[in-house]
């Protein structure tokens, strides 16, 4: 009897770029990678937050701005570290390879690009919303539209090119 996959596990597979079914060993490896990535990201983030709180309570000029920069830089460095770890582990275990037959390549690449543009659109909406909440810009300005289009295009293109690199042709066994 096959174990039913949870919505969270399907999201992890999508985010990591893993296609197709996984056996028990690969499934446990994906869960291990996710658990390690959580600890790589969020435990050091506690120290970054404490440092930002301490800086914000000091009697110096621009303390809030400095605390904000510490938070952003810390989050950025931890995200880079986590993404590098995940990419390295997935490459080492060969979990991202998407094996397809010759007659399926066009459909698979079309599916990959469609999901890449959808995730890019989602990223563009979220980043534009967060940026506008922080900077208090007008949502109808040309700059906001440009920012949205830039976020969407960069994320979609990066995601699409990265995922199409993992498509591997296999010979028919007939």
């Amino acid at each position: 009897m096959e174990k039913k996959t949870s919505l969270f596990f399907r999201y992890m597979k999508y985010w990591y770029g893993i296609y197709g079914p996984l056996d028990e060993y690969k499934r446990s490896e994906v869960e291990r990678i996710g658990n390690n990535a959580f600890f790589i990201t969020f435990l050091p983030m506690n120290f970054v937050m404490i440092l930002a709180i301490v800086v914000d309570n000091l009697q110096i000029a621009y303390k809030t701005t400095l605390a904000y920069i510490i938070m952003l830089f810390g989050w950025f460095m931890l995200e880079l570290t986590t993404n590098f770890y995940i990419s390295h582990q997935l490459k080492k275990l060969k979990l991202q390879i998407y094996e397809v037959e010759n007659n399926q390549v066009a459909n698979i690449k079309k599916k990959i690009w469609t999901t890449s543009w959808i995730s890019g659109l989602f990223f563009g909406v979220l980043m534009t919303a967060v940026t506008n909440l922080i900077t208090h810009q007008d949502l109808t300005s040309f700059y906001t539209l440009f920012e949205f289009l830039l976020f969407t295009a960069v994320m979609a293109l990066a995601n699409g090119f990265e995922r199409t690199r993992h498509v591997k042709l296999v010979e028919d066994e007939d």
Side-chain angles (χ1 to χ4, degrees), residues 14 18 20-21 26 46 48 65 73 81 89 92 94 96 100 106 108 119 124 129 132-134 146 155 168 174:
Y14 172 77
I18 299 171
K26 288 183 177 180
N46 292 335
V48 171
T65 305
F73 184 72
T81 305
Q89 291 296 314
K92 184 171 84 172
K94 296 180 178 151
Q96 287 181 318
V100 295
I108 295 302
S119 65
N132 283 335
L133 282 174
I134 292 170
F146 175 75
M155 181 63 170
K168 179 182 173 188
D174 296 337

Side-chain angles (χ1 to χ4, degrees), residues 1 7 9 11 26 56 64 70 78 80-81 84 89 102-103 110 131 137 145 159 164 170-171 173:
M1 187 170 185
L7 180 64
F9 191 76
Y11 173 74
K26 288 183 177 180
D56 194 40
T64 305
I70 289 171
L78 289 170
L80 281 179
T81 305
F84 176 75
Q89 291 296 314
N102 265 343
N103 58 354
K110 183 179 177 184
T131 304
Q137 290 180 353
L145 176 64
N159 195 351
T164 55
V170 294
E171 298 295 323
E173 295 180 9

